[in-house]
Amino acid sequence: MFDRLLARLNATPLPTRDTVGAPFARRDIAVVVLLVELAQSDRSLGSAEIEAVGRIVRGRFRLDEATAGRLIAAARTELDAALEDWVFANAVRESFDEAQRLEIVELLWEVVYA
């Protein structure tokens, strides 16, 4: 089971389950998963959090609204299907250098403030 999780984490790019959009890179999905997970950490996903995640995803990845929505949907699907959520934090740690990870932490704080 652990090997299967690691294989899923290392798959790049990871195809989304959305048949309309193209696949997104695993590292991008991992970042968005962390944003979504933080946004719903109080067991509710309010409109302010949803708007903040959408704004961040559009800005960070330079995506239009529809593509950002597909990326967020793919991330939510991955989060819901994950047995452990640490794999996403690990993917971010392995995929980004220290300066980039600091930028991601700043994005996470934007969600917290929402």
Side-chain angles (χ1 to χ4, degrees), residues 24-40:
F24 298 101
R26 182 67 180 161
R27 63 188 247 151
D28 296 345
I29 288 179
V31 170
V32 179
V33 163
L34 295 180
L35 295 169
V36 169
E37 184 175 28
L38 185 60
Q40 64 188 22

Side-chain angles (χ1 to χ4, degrees), residues 13-69:
L14 177 71
T16 67
R17 289 173 175 80
D18 182 67
T19 58
V20 176
F24 298 101
R26 182 67 180 161
R27 63 188 247 151
D28 296 345
I29 288 179
V31 170
V32 179
V33 163
L34 295 180
L35 295 169
V36 169
E37 184 175 28
L38 185 60
Q40 64 188 22
S41 63
D42 61 354
R43 301 208 187 269
S44 68
L45 191 58
S47 61
E49 290 100 345
I50 293 169
E51 290 173 21
V53 170
R55 179 181 39 78
I56 291 167
V57 170
R58 286 189 307 273
R60 168 82 165 111
F61 299 104
R62 295 182 177 99
L63 300 174
D64 60 56
E65 192 166 337
T67 306

Side-chain angles (χ1 to χ4, degrees), residues 46-100:
S47 61
E49 290 100 345
I50 293 169
E51 290 173 21
V53 170
R55 179 181 39 78
I56 291 167
V57 170
R58 286 189 307 273
R60 168 82 165 111
F61 299 104
R62 295 182 177 99
L63 300 174
D64 60 56
E65 192 166 337
T67 306
R70 287 193 303 271
L71 176 53
I72 293 167
R76 291 182 76 175
T77 300
E78 286 297 311
L79 179 58
D80 290 344
L83 299 176
E84 297 286 339
D85 56 3
W86 65 267
V87 295
F88 303 107
N90 191 53
V92 168
R93 184 181 58 80
E94 291 179 352
S95 300
F96 296 95
D97 64 31
E98 187 175 346
Q100 292 169 319

